[in-house]
Amino acid sequence: MATDVGELTRVQGLTRVYGDRTVLDGLDLELAPGEFVALLGRSGSGKSTLLRALAGLDGDVAGAGTVEVPGGVSVVFQDARLLPWQRVLPNVILGLPGAERRGRESLAEVGLAGRERAWPNELSGGEQQRVALARSLVREPRLLLADEPFGALDALTRLRMHGLLRRLFEQHRPAVLLVTHDVDEAIALADRVLVLDDGRIAAEQRLDAGASPAETRAELLRALGVTQDGRREKSS
């Protein structure tokens, strides 16, 4: 169970088991307040499992360890998960009665002022993800968990959303853990990039450590077992 410990996000000895498969194996992790961390890993490496543990959404999964999070956690998924029978503003303030003003302000922050009464099916995929971001930020979270939120968007829309997310992060300063398969996305957005492998953090790169983006990219690809041309390296 995730517990509230103030501002620090801390995971210690986290293990999660599905059947006979150990997905997370004694994982340790800390996120400082206001830190933007990207998490890379191969498919099935446990990235989404870690996010669910931090969000307190995996109570029926076998495992051990401790998860300590700030009081105030929001999650953004790859699918915007908007209620189709509700207009945009009610989707943003879902579960927050009387928060219409805050909801309008959040929509303005993501560039959707004036779209409060639109239906979700009237929005593009990028606009739906903007609504999802507004819904998360209206709660003023101290920890924002983002599970491949731009994975379903086209390349140009993704670039625009990168700029928006980074700008919103600078304004609100929550701790952010972004799960992504995209090394370039991780480098563009994060202060620190982690690689998850065999249920543990296998590599870490800080983006302010003096290495060039090209050097950082090469190191992260190497940690993922991928060559610069995108091919999987052979095991020795």
Side-chain angles (χ1 to χ4, degrees), residues 96-147:
L96 295 175
E100 286 80 4
R101 182 182 59 81
R102 286 165 55 196
R104 292 177 189 277
E105 291 172 351
S106 290
L107 283 169
E109 281 191 291
V110 301
L112 290 177
R115 303 302 305 275
E116 294 86 356
R117 290 191 54 75
W119 295 101
N121 64 5
E122 296 173 345
L123 305 179
S124 67
E127 288 172 331
Q128 290 183 20
Q129 281 302 85
R130 287 172 183 260
V131 175
L133 276 175
R135 182 175 56 197
S136 293
L137 293 172
V138 77
R139 288 158 173 77
E140 291 292 339
R142 285 184 279 169
L143 174 62
L144 178 63
L145 305 171
D147 193 358

mmCIF file of all heavy atoms in Angstrom, residues 96-147:
data_model
loop_
_atom_site.group_PDB
_atom_site.id
_atom_site.type_symbol
_atom_site.label_atom_id
_atom_site.label_comp_id
_atom_site.label_asym_id
_atom_site.label_seq_id
_atom_site.Cartn_x
_atom_site.Cartn_y
_atom_site.Cartn_z
ATOM 1 N N LEU A 96 -14.456 16.507 -8.003
ATOM 2 C CA LEU A 96 -14.119 17.765 -7.307
ATOM 3 C C LEU A 96 -15.301 18.725 -7.395
ATOM 4 O O LEU A 96 -15.274 19.696 -8.152
ATOM 5 C CB LEU A 96 -12.883 18.413 -7.939
ATOM 6 C CG LEU A 96 -11.564 17.659 -7.826
ATOM 7 C CD1 LEU A 96 -10.481 18.383 -8.618
ATOM 8 C CD2 LEU A 96 -11.138 17.522 -6.369
ATOM 9 N N PRO A 97 -16.356 18.496 -6.663
ATOM 10 C CA PRO A 97 -17.519 19.383 -6.742
ATOM 11 C C PRO A 97 -17.157 20.814 -6.369
ATOM 12 O O PRO A 97 -16.355 21.053 -5.466
ATOM 13 C CB PRO A 97 -18.491 18.766 -5.719
ATOM 14 C CG PRO A 97 -17.645 17.939 -4.810
ATOM 15 C CD PRO A 97 -16.528 17.435 -5.652
ATOM 16 N N GLY A 98 -17.721 21.754 -7.113
ATOM 17 C CA GLY A 98 -17.481 23.159 -6.832
ATOM 18 C C GLY A 98 -16.158 23.684 -7.354
ATOM 19 O O GLY A 98 -15.746 24.798 -6.988
ATOM 20 N N ALA A 99 -15.489 22.914 -8.221
ATOM 21 C CA ALA A 99 -14.165 23.319 -8.704
ATOM 22 C C ALA A 99 -14.205 23.848 -10.130
ATOM 23 O O ALA A 99 -13.208 23.785 -10.848
ATOM 24 C CB ALA A 99 -13.199 22.138 -8.617
ATOM 25 N N GLU A 100 -15.369 24.407 -10.550
ATOM 26 C CA GLU A 100 -15.498 24.867 -11.933
ATOM 27 C C GLU A 100 -14.451 25.914 -12.304
ATOM 28 O O GLU A 100 -13.870 25.862 -13.392
ATOM 29 C CB GLU A 100 -16.905 25.425 -12.186
ATOM 30 C CG GLU A 100 -18.004 24.384 -12.289
ATOM 31 C CD GLU A 100 -18.480 23.895 -10.929
ATOM 32 O OE1 GLU A 100 -17.988 24.428 -9.900
ATOM 33 O OE2 GLU A 100 -19.333 22.986 -10.875
ATOM 34 N N ARG A 101 -14.194 26.861 -11.413
ATOM 35 C CA ARG A 101 -13.209 27.904 -11.734
ATOM 36 C C ARG A 101 -11.820 27.306 -11.931
ATOM 37 O O ARG A 101 -11.122 27.640 -12.888
ATOM 38 C CB ARG A 101 -13.175 28.955 -10.617
ATOM 39 C CG ARG A 101 -12.192 30.104 -10.906
ATOM 40 C CD ARG A 101 -12.143 31.099 -9.755
ATOM 41 N NE ARG A 101 -11.738 30.469 -8.508
ATOM 42 C CZ ARG A 101 -10.463 30.203 -8.186
ATOM 43 N NH1 ARG A 101 -9.491 30.509 -9.047
ATOM 44 N NH2 ARG A 101 -10.174 29.647 -7.032
ATOM 45 N N ARG A 102 -11.428 26.425 -11.034
ATOM 46 C CA ARG A 102 -10.123 25.772 -11.165
ATOM 47 C C ARG A 102 -10.068 24.945 -12.438
ATOM 48 O O ARG A 102 -9.022 24.889 -13.110
ATOM 49 C CB ARG A 102 -9.865 24.883 -9.941
ATOM 50 C CG ARG A 102 -9.518 25.669 -8.687
ATOM 51 C CD ARG A 102 -9.635 24.809 -7.450
ATOM 52 N NE ARG A 102 -8.831 23.597 -7.524
ATOM 53 C CZ ARG A 102 -8.987 22.543 -6.716
ATOM 54 N NH1 ARG A 102 -9.917 22.569 -5.772
ATOM 55 N NH2 ARG A 102 -8.220 21.494 -6.843
ATOM 56 N N GLY A 103 -11.180 24.300 -12.780
ATOM 57 C CA GLY A 103 -11.209 23.508 -14.001
ATOM 58 C C GLY A 103 -11.023 24.363 -15.244
ATOM 59 O O GLY A 103 -10.289 23.991 -16.175
ATOM 60 N N ARG A 104 -11.666 25.518 -15.271
ATOM 61 C CA ARG A 104 -11.515 26.431 -16.409
ATOM 62 C C ARG A 104 -10.080 26.943 -16.508
ATOM 63 O O ARG A 104 -9.524 27.070 -17.606
ATOM 64 C CB ARG A 104 -12.497 27.602 -16.280
ATOM 65 C CG ARG A 104 -13.955 27.199 -16.433
ATOM 66 C CD ARG A 104 -14.888 28.389 -16.224
ATOM 67 N NE ARG A 104 -16.272 27.952 -16.158
ATOM 68 C CZ ARG A 104 -17.030 27.720 -17.229
ATOM 69 N NH1 ARG A 104 -16.525 27.911 -18.449
ATOM 70 N NH2 ARG A 104 -18.287 27.322 -17.095
ATOM 71 N N GLU A 105 -9.478 27.231 -15.358
ATOM 72 C CA GLU A 105 -8.099 27.693 -15.365
ATOM 73 C C GLU A 105 -7.159 26.606 -15.885
ATOM 74 O O GLU A 105 -6.226 26.892 -16.658
ATOM 75 C CB GLU A 105 -7.683 28.109 -13.952
ATOM 76 C CG GLU A 105 -8.377 29.367 -13.455
ATOM 77 C CD GLU A 105 -8.091 29.651 -11.991
ATOM 78 O OE1 GLU A 105 -7.500 28.770 -11.323
ATOM 79 O OE2 GLU A 105 -8.467 30.745 -11.516
ATOM 80 N N SER A 106 -7.403 25.369 -15.495
ATOM 81 C CA SER A 106 -6.567 24.261 -15.970
ATOM 82 C C SER A 106 -6.721 24.056 -17.468
ATOM 83 O O SER A 106 -5.739 23.799 -18.173
ATOM 84 C CB SER A 106 -6.914 22.970 -15.217
ATOM 85 O OG SER A 106 -6.493 23.034 -13.874
ATOM 86 N N LEU A 107 -7.944 24.177 -17.967
ATOM 87 C CA LEU A 107 -8.153 24.051 -19.407
ATOM 88 C C LEU A 107 -7.447 25.174 -20.162
ATOM 89 O O LEU A 107 -6.873 24.947 -21.241
ATOM 90 C CB LEU A 107 -9.646 24.052 -19.722
ATOM 91 C CG LEU A 107 -10.369 22.733 -19.429
ATOM 92 C CD1 LEU A 107 -11.875 22.918 -19.506
ATOM 93 C CD2 LEU A 107 -9.919 21.644 -20.406
ATOM 94 N N ALA A 108 -7.469 26.378 -19.604
ATOM 95 C CA ALA A 108 -6.753 27.485 -20.245
ATOM 96 C C ALA A 108 -5.251 27.209 -20.260
ATOM 97 O O ALA A 108 -4.565 27.514 -21.252
ATOM 98 C CB ALA A 108 -7.046 28.789 -19.510
ATOM 99 N N GLU A 109 -4.725 26.592 -19.201
ATOM 100 C CA GLU A 109 -3.302 26.284 -19.136
ATOM 101 C C GLU A 109 -2.873 25.317 -20.236
ATOM 102 O O GLU A 109 -1.738 25.386 -20.720
ATOM 103 C CB GLU A 109 -2.946 25.683 -17.776
ATOM 104 C CG GLU A 109 -2.803 26.674 -16.661
ATOM 105 C CD GLU A 109 -2.192 26.026 -15.442
ATOM 106 O OE1 GLU A 109 -2.860 25.183 -14.817
ATOM 107 O OE2 GLU A 109 -1.026 26.343 -15.130
ATOM 108 N N VAL A 110 -3.759 24.401 -20.620
ATOM 109 C CA VAL A 110 -3.407 23.428 -21.656
ATOM 110 C C VAL A 110 -3.882 23.871 -23.036
ATOM 111 O O VAL A 110 -3.868 23.090 -23.990
ATOM 112 C CB VAL A 110 -3.964 22.020 -21.319
ATOM 113 C CG1 VAL A 110 -3.417 21.541 -19.992
ATOM 114 C CG2 VAL A 110 -5.491 22.004 -21.312
ATOM 115 N N GLY A 111 -4.320 25.126 -23.160
ATOM 116 C CA GLY A 111 -4.690 25.665 -24.463
ATOM 117 C C GLY A 111 -6.081 25.323 -24.929
ATOM 118 O O GLY A 111 -6.360 25.367 -26.135
ATOM 119 N N LEU A 112 -6.987 25.011 -24.005
ATOM 120 C CA LEU A 112 -8.348 24.625 -24.382
ATOM 121 C C LEU A 112 -9.403 25.555 -23.775
ATOM 122 O O LEU A 112 -10.535 25.138 -23.540
ATOM 123 C CB LEU A 112 -8.631 23.171 -23.970
ATOM 124 C CG LEU A 112 -7.882 22.103 -24.768
ATOM 125 C CD1 LEU A 112 -8.191 20.716 -24.216
ATOM 126 C CD2 LEU A 112 -8.222 22.161 -26.246
ATOM 127 N N ALA A 113 -9.032 26.802 -23.537
ATOM 128 C CA ALA A 113 -10.030 27.771 -23.080
ATOM 129 C C ALA A 113 -11.125 27.893 -24.127
ATOM 130 O O ALA A 113 -10.862 27.945 -25.330
ATOM 131 C CB ALA A 113 -9.374 29.127 -22.853
ATOM 132 N N GLY A 114 -12.372 27.899 -23.677
ATOM 133 C CA GLY A 114 -13.505 27.979 -24.585
ATOM 134 C C GLY A 114 -14.048 26.640 -25.034
ATOM 135 O O GLY A 114 -15.087 26.579 -25.686
ATOM 136 N N ARG A 115 -13.364 25.548 -24.665
ATOM 137 C CA ARG A 115 -13.836 24.209 -25.068
ATOM 138 C C ARG A 115 -14.502 23.470 -23.911
ATOM 139 O O ARG A 115 -14.703 22.261 -23.978
ATOM 140 C CB ARG A 115 -12.663 23.362 -25.598
ATOM 141 C CG ARG A 115 -11.902 23.968 -26.752
ATOM 142 C CD ARG A 115 -12.790 24.265 -27.963
ATOM 143 N NE ARG A 115 -13.527 23.123 -28.446
ATOM 144 C CZ ARG A 115 -13.032 22.214 -29.300
ATOM 145 N NH1 ARG A 115 -11.784 22.328 -29.728
ATOM 146 N NH2 ARG A 115 -13.777 21.216 -29.724
ATOM 147 N N GLU A 116 -14.897 24.196 -22.878
ATOM 148 C CA GLU A 116 -15.440 23.549 -21.678
ATOM 149 C C GLU A 116 -16.675 22.715 -21.957
ATOM 150 O O GLU A 116 -16.911 21.689 -21.304
ATOM 151 C CB GLU A 116 -15.779 24.611 -20.616
ATOM 152 C CG GLU A 116 -14.585 25.352 -20.055
ATOM 153 C CD GLU A 116 -14.188 26.554 -20.906
ATOM 154 O OE1 GLU A 116 -14.811 26.761 -21.985
ATOM 155 O OE2 GLU A 116 -13.266 27.286 -20.499
ATOM 156 N N ARG A 117 -17.509 23.128 -22.933
ATOM 157 C CA ARG A 117 -18.766 22.429 -23.185
ATOM 158 C C ARG A 117 -18.682 21.476 -24.376
ATOM 159 O O ARG A 117 -19.689 20.906 -24.795
ATOM 160 C CB ARG A 117 -19.890 23.445 -23.398
ATOM 161 C CG ARG A 117 -20.262 24.199 -22.121
ATOM 162 C CD ARG A 117 -21.542 24.999 -22.295
ATOM 163 N NE ARG A 117 -22.663 24.206 -22.759
ATOM 164 C CZ ARG A 117 -23.368 23.347 -22.018
ATOM 165 N NH1 ARG A 117 -23.038 23.173 -20.737
ATOM 166 N NH2 ARG A 117 -24.381 22.685 -22.523
ATOM 167 N N ALA A 118 -17.469 21.273 -24.895
ATOM 168 C CA ALA A 118 -17.301 20.312 -25.989
ATOM 169 C C ALA A 118 -17.458 18.891 -25.463
ATOM 170 O O ALA A 118 -17.206 18.612 -24.281
ATOM 171 C CB ALA A 118 -15.929 20.485 -26.630
ATOM 172 N N TRP A 119 -17.891 17.984 -26.348
ATOM 173 C CA TRP A 119 -17.946 16.562 -26.010
ATOM 174 C C TRP A 119 -16.599 15.927 -26.353
ATOM 175 O O TRP A 119 -15.920 16.357 -27.289
ATOM 176 C CB TRP A 119 -19.055 15.858 -26.789
ATOM 177 C CG TRP A 119 -20.435 16.323 -26.446
ATOM 178 C CD1 TRP A 119 -21.210 17.187 -27.158
ATOM 179 C CD2 TRP A 119 -21.208 15.949 -25.300
ATOM 180 N NE1 TRP A 119 -22.419 17.393 -26.520
ATOM 181 C CE2 TRP A 119 -22.446 16.634 -25.385
ATOM 182 C CE3 TRP A 119 -20.975 15.114 -24.199
ATOM 183 C CZ2 TRP A 119 -23.437 16.501 -24.419
ATOM 184 C CZ3 TRP A 119 -21.970 14.976 -23.242
ATOM 185 C CH2 TRP A 119 -23.188 15.661 -23.353
ATOM 186 N N PRO A 120 -16.172 14.889 -25.626
ATOM 187 C CA PRO A 120 -14.885 14.254 -25.917
ATOM 188 C C PRO A 120 -14.729 13.814 -27.375
ATOM 189 O O PRO A 120 -13.641 13.938 -27.947
ATOM 190 C CB PRO A 120 -14.863 13.055 -24.963
ATOM 191 C CG PRO A 120 -15.660 13.526 -23.784
ATOM 192 C CD PRO A 120 -16.770 14.349 -24.380
ATOM 193 N N ASN A 121 -15.819 13.319 -27.987
ATOM 194 C CA ASN A 121 -15.690 12.839 -29.364
ATOM 195 C C ASN A 121 -15.554 13.971 -30.384
ATOM 196 O O ASN A 121 -15.344 13.717 -31.571
ATOM 197 C CB ASN A 121 -16.851 11.913 -29.741
ATOM 198 C CG ASN A 121 -18.197 12.612 -29.738
ATOM 199 O OD1 ASN A 121 -18.290 13.828 -29.547
ATOM 200 N ND2 ASN A 121 -19.263 11.840 -29.946
ATOM 201 N N GLU A 122 -15.652 15.208 -29.929
ATOM 202 C CA GLU A 122 -15.429 16.362 -30.798
ATOM 203 C C GLU A 122 -13.966 16.813 -30.783
ATOM 204 O O GLU A 122 -13.600 17.722 -31.532
ATOM 205 C CB GLU A 122 -16.321 17.535 -30.363
ATOM 206 C CG GLU A 122 -17.808 17.257 -30.496
ATOM 207 C CD GLU A 122 -18.679 18.359 -29.915
ATOM 208 O OE1 GLU A 122 -18.147 19.199 -29.153
ATOM 209 O OE2 GLU A 122 -19.881 18.374 -30.229
ATOM 210 N N LEU A 123 -13.148 16.175 -29.945
ATOM 211 C CA LEU A 123 -11.762 16.569 -29.783
ATOM 212 C C LEU A 123 -10.830 15.635 -30.538
ATOM 213 O O LEU A 123 -11.112 14.443 -30.693
ATOM 214 C CB LEU A 123 -11.381 16.553 -28.298
ATOM 215 C CG LEU A 123 -12.235 17.386 -27.344
ATOM 216 C CD1 LEU A 123 -11.714 17.207 -25.925
ATOM 217 C CD2 LEU A 123 -12.227 18.851 -27.740
ATOM 218 N N SER A 124 -9.694 16.165 -30.972
ATOM 219 C CA SER A 124 -8.648 15.329 -31.562
ATOM 220 C C SER A 124 -7.963 14.532 -30.449
ATOM 221 O O SER A 124 -8.163 14.786 -29.249
ATOM 222 C CB SER A 124 -7.625 16.199 -32.276
ATOM 223 O OG SER A 124 -6.898 16.988 -31.335
ATOM 224 N N GLY A 125 -7.123 13.571 -30.852
ATOM 225 C CA GLY A 125 -6.397 12.789 -29.854
ATOM 226 C C GLY A 125 -5.517 13.659 -28.976
ATOM 227 O O GLY A 125 -5.450 13.473 -27.756
ATOM 228 N N GLY A 126 -4.833 14.636 -29.582
ATOM 229 C CA GLY A 126 -3.996 15.540 -28.798
ATOM 230 C C GLY A 126 -4.803 16.381 -27.840
ATOM 231 O O GLY A 126 -4.388 16.625 -26.695
ATOM 232 N N GLU A 127 -5.972 16.839 -28.285
ATOM 233 C CA GLU A 127 -6.829 17.642 -27.412
ATOM 234 C C GLU A 127 -7.362 16.805 -26.250
ATOM 235 O O GLU A 127 -7.468 17.298 -25.119
ATOM 236 C CB GLU A 127 -7.984 18.232 -28.215
ATOM 237 C CG GLU A 127 -7.561 19.350 -29.150
ATOM 238 C CD GLU A 127 -8.673 19.796 -30.079
ATOM 239 O OE1 GLU A 127 -9.557 18.955 -30.414
ATOM 240 O OE2 GLU A 127 -8.673 20.965 -30.490
ATOM 241 N N GLN A 128 -7.682 15.550 -26.505
ATOM 242 C CA GLN A 128 -8.144 14.677 -25.425
ATOM 243 C C GLN A 128 -7.054 14.491 -24.371
ATOM 244 O O GLN A 128 -7.332 14.489 -23.166
ATOM 245 C CB GLN A 128 -8.586 13.329 -25.994
ATOM 246 C CG GLN A 128 -9.863 13.402 -26.809
ATOM 247 C CD GLN A 128 -10.325 12.051 -27.294
ATOM 248 O OE1 GLN A 128 -9.938 11.017 -26.756
ATOM 249 N NE2 GLN A 128 -11.146 12.042 -28.327
ATOM 250 N N GLN A 129 -5.791 14.362 -24.819
ATOM 251 C CA GLN A 129 -4.705 14.224 -23.852
ATOM 252 C C GLN A 129 -4.473 15.530 -23.097
ATOM 253 O O GLN A 129 -4.075 15.513 -21.929
ATOM 254 C CB GLN A 129 -3.416 13.778 -24.539
ATOM 255 C CG GLN A 129 -3.369 12.276 -24.851
ATOM 256 C CD GLN A 129 -3.531 11.434 -23.602
ATOM 257 O OE1 GLN A 129 -4.646 11.153 -23.152
ATOM 258 N NE2 GLN A 129 -2.428 11.024 -23.006
ATOM 259 N N ARG A 130 -4.752 16.661 -23.733
ATOM 260 C CA ARG A 130 -4.675 17.935 -23.015
ATOM 261 C C ARG A 130 -5.720 17.980 -21.901
ATOM 262 O O ARG A 130 -5.459 18.482 -20.804
ATOM 263 C CB ARG A 130 -4.879 19.097 -23.985
ATOM 264 C CG ARG A 130 -3.698 19.363 -24.910
ATOM 265 C CD ARG A 130 -4.047 20.386 -25.976
ATOM 266 N NE ARG A 130 -2.955 20.589 -26.900
ATOM 267 C CZ ARG A 130 -2.102 21.613 -26.856
ATOM 268 N NH1 ARG A 130 -2.245 22.553 -25.936
ATOM 269 N NH2 ARG A 130 -1.118 21.725 -27.725
ATOM 270 N N VAL A 131 -6.911 17.477 -22.184
ATOM 271 C CA VAL A 131 -7.947 17.416 -21.153
ATOM 272 C C VAL A 131 -7.488 16.510 -20.011
ATOM 273 O O VAL A 131 -7.689 16.824 -18.829
ATOM 274 C CB VAL A 131 -9.279 16.923 -21.739
ATOM 275 C CG1 VAL A 131 -10.322 16.733 -20.630
ATOM 276 C CG2 VAL A 131 -9.806 17.898 -22.786
ATOM 277 N N ALA A 132 -6.863 15.372 -20.361
ATOM 278 C CA ALA A 132 -6.364 14.455 -19.331
ATOM 279 C C ALA A 132 -5.306 15.134 -18.462
ATOM 280 O O ALA A 132 -5.273 14.957 -17.237
ATOM 281 C CB ALA A 132 -5.802 13.195 -19.975
ATOM 282 N N LEU A 133 -4.437 15.940 -19.083
ATOM 283 C CA LEU A 133 -3.445 16.680 -18.308
ATOM 284 C C LEU A 133 -4.118 17.708 -17.398
ATOM 285 O O LEU A 133 -3.740 17.852 -16.227
ATOM 286 C CB LEU A 133 -2.472 17.383 -19.250
ATOM 287 C CG LEU A 133 -1.299 16.574 -19.779
ATOM 288 C CD1 LEU A 133 -0.513 17.387 -20.800
ATOM 289 C CD2 LEU A 133 -0.383 16.151 -18.638
ATOM 290 N N ALA A 134 -5.110 18.411 -17.942
ATOM 291 C CA ALA A 134 -5.834 19.390 -17.131
ATOM 292 C C ALA A 134 -6.506 18.709 -15.941
ATOM 293 O O ALA A 134 -6.493 19.234 -14.820
ATOM 294 C CB ALA A 134 -6.873 20.120 -17.985
ATOM 295 N N ARG A 135 -7.076 17.535 -16.165
ATOM 296 C CA ARG A 135 -7.741 16.792 -15.087
ATOM 297 C C ARG A 135 -6.744 16.413 -13.993
ATOM 298 O O ARG A 135 -7.078 16.414 -12.802
ATOM 299 C CB ARG A 135 -8.408 15.543 -15.660
ATOM 300 C CG ARG A 135 -9.161 14.717 -14.630
ATOM 301 C CD ARG A 135 -9.890 13.555 -15.288
ATOM 302 N NE ARG A 135 -8.972 12.713 -16.043
ATOM 303 C CZ ARG A 135 -9.364 11.834 -16.969
ATOM 304 N NH1 ARG A 135 -10.651 11.705 -17.270
ATOM 305 N NH2 ARG A 135 -8.478 11.097 -17.606
ATOM 306 N N SER A 136 -5.520 16.085 -14.381
ATOM 307 C CA SER A 136 -4.503 15.743 -13.388
ATOM 308 C C SER A 136 -4.016 16.972 -12.634
ATOM 309 O O SER A 136 -3.876 16.953 -11.412
ATOM 310 C CB SER A 136 -3.315 15.052 -14.072
ATOM 311 O OG SER A 136 -3.690 13.795 -14.574
ATOM 312 N N LEU A 137 -3.776 18.057 -13.363
ATOM 313 C CA LEU A 137 -3.181 19.240 -12.744
ATOM 314 C C LEU A 137 -4.160 20.032 -11.890
ATOM 315 O O LEU A 137 -3.742 20.752 -10.981
ATOM 316 C CB LEU A 137 -2.589 20.134 -13.830
ATOM 317 C CG LEU A 137 -1.381 19.534 -14.556
ATOM 318 C CD1 LEU A 137 -0.990 20.391 -15.741
ATOM 319 C CD2 LEU A 137 -0.203 19.376 -13.598
ATOM 320 N N VAL A 138 -5.464 19.911 -12.166
ATOM 321 C CA VAL A 138 -6.440 20.659 -11.371
ATOM 322 C C VAL A 138 -6.398 20.222 -9.911
ATOM 323 O O VAL A 138 -6.798 20.972 -9.020
ATOM 324 C CB VAL A 138 -7.862 20.485 -11.970
ATOM 325 C CG1 VAL A 138 -8.446 19.126 -11.625
ATOM 326 C CG2 VAL A 138 -8.792 21.594 -11.493
ATOM 327 N N ARG A 139 -5.862 19.041 -9.663
ATOM 328 C CA ARG A 139 -5.760 18.523 -8.298
ATOM 329 C C ARG A 139 -4.466 18.959 -7.608
ATOM 330 O O ARG A 139 -4.219 18.584 -6.469
ATOM 331 C CB ARG A 139 -5.862 16.995 -8.333
ATOM 332 C CG ARG A 139 -7.269 16.533 -8.648
ATOM 333 C CD ARG A 139 -7.327 15.115 -9.197
ATOM 334 N NE ARG A 139 -8.721 14.687 -9.319
ATOM 335 C CZ ARG A 139 -9.545 15.071 -10.297
ATOM 336 N NH1 ARG A 139 -9.112 15.889 -11.243
ATOM 337 N NH2 ARG A 139 -10.797 14.648 -10.332
ATOM 338 N N GLU A 140 -3.631 19.723 -8.312
ATOM 339 C CA GLU A 140 -2.351 20.191 -7.779
ATOM 340 C C GLU A 140 -1.570 19.040 -7.140
ATOM 341 O O GLU A 140 -1.197 19.084 -5.953
ATOM 342 C CB GLU A 140 -2.556 21.323 -6.761
ATOM 343 C CG GLU A 140 -3.051 22.618 -7.373
ATOM 344 C CD GLU A 140 -2.014 23.281 -8.274
ATOM 345 O OE1 GLU A 140 -0.802 22.971 -8.124
ATOM 346 O OE2 GLU A 140 -2.406 24.097 -9.124
ATOM 347 N N PRO A 141 -1.270 18.009 -7.915
ATOM 348 C CA PRO A 141 -0.574 16.849 -7.339
ATOM 349 C C PRO A 141 0.866 17.174 -6.980
ATOM 350 O O PRO A 141 1.516 18.016 -7.605
ATOM 351 C CB PRO A 141 -0.623 15.829 -8.490
ATOM 352 C CG PRO A 141 -0.619 16.671 -9.726
ATOM 353 C CD PRO A 141 -1.477 17.868 -9.368
ATOM 354 N N ARG A 142 1.372 16.487 -5.995
ATOM 355 C CA ARG A 142 2.795 16.570 -5.672
ATOM 356 C C ARG A 142 3.570 15.453 -6.361
ATOM 357 O O ARG A 142 4.809 15.487 -6.391
ATOM 358 C CB ARG A 142 2.993 16.527 -4.157
ATOM 359 C CG ARG A 142 2.618 17.854 -3.500
ATOM 360 C CD ARG A 142 2.907 17.844 -2.025
ATOM 361 N NE ARG A 142 1.852 17.171 -1.275
ATOM 362 C CZ ARG A 142 1.938 16.829 0.003
ATOM 363 N NH1 ARG A 142 3.050 17.087 0.666
ATOM 364 N NH2 ARG A 142 0.943 16.239 0.617
ATOM 365 N N LEU A 143 2.851 14.469 -6.908
ATOM 366 C CA LEU A 143 3.468 13.414 -7.714
ATOM 367 C C LEU A 143 2.564 13.152 -8.906
ATOM 368 O O LEU A 143 1.393 12.817 -8.748
ATOM 369 C CB LEU A 143 3.642 12.123 -6.902
ATOM 370 C CG LEU A 143 4.154 10.904 -7.679
ATOM 371 C CD1 LEU A 143 5.541 11.166 -8.255
ATOM 372 C CD2 LEU A 143 4.157 9.668 -6.784
ATOM 373 N N LEU A 144 3.114 13.331 -10.111
ATOM 374 C CA LEU A 144 2.380 13.075 -11.355
ATOM 375 C C LEU A 144 2.981 11.852 -12.016
ATOM 376 O O LEU A 144 4.178 11.828 -12.339
ATOM 377 C CB LEU A 144 2.471 14.285 -12.291
ATOM 378 C CG LEU A 144 1.790 14.129 -13.660
ATOM 379 C CD1 LEU A 144 0.287 13.942 -13.503
ATOM 380 C CD2 LEU A 144 2.097 15.331 -14.550
ATOM 381 N N LEU A 145 2.171 10.824 -12.206
ATOM 382 C CA LEU A 145 2.582 9.589 -12.856
ATOM 383 C C LEU A 145 2.023 9.572 -14.270
ATOM 384 O O LEU A 145 0.814 9.713 -14.454
ATOM 385 C CB LEU A 145 2.066 8.378 -12.073
ATOM 386 C CG LEU A 145 2.455 8.337 -10.590
ATOM 387 C CD1 LEU A 145 1.703 7.207 -9.888
ATOM 388 C CD2 LEU A 145 3.955 8.167 -10.426
ATOM 389 N N ALA A 146 2.890 9.416 -15.262
ATOM 390 C CA ALA A 146 2.471 9.473 -16.666
ATOM 391 C C ALA A 146 2.896 8.186 -17.356
ATOM 392 O O ALA A 146 4.094 7.928 -17.524
ATOM 393 C CB ALA A 146 3.086 10.683 -17.355
ATOM 394 N N ASP A 147 1.917 7.379 -17.752
ATOM 395 C CA ASP A 147 2.182 6.066 -18.345
ATOM 396 C C ASP A 147 2.037 6.147 -19.866
ATOM 397 O O ASP A 147 0.954 5.981 -20.414
ATOM 398 C CB ASP A 147 1.210 5.030 -17.767
ATOM 399 C CG ASP A 147 1.632 3.601 -18.084
ATOM 400 O OD1 ASP A 147 2.656 3.432 -18.773
ATOM 401 O OD2 ASP A 147 0.954 2.665 -17.630
#
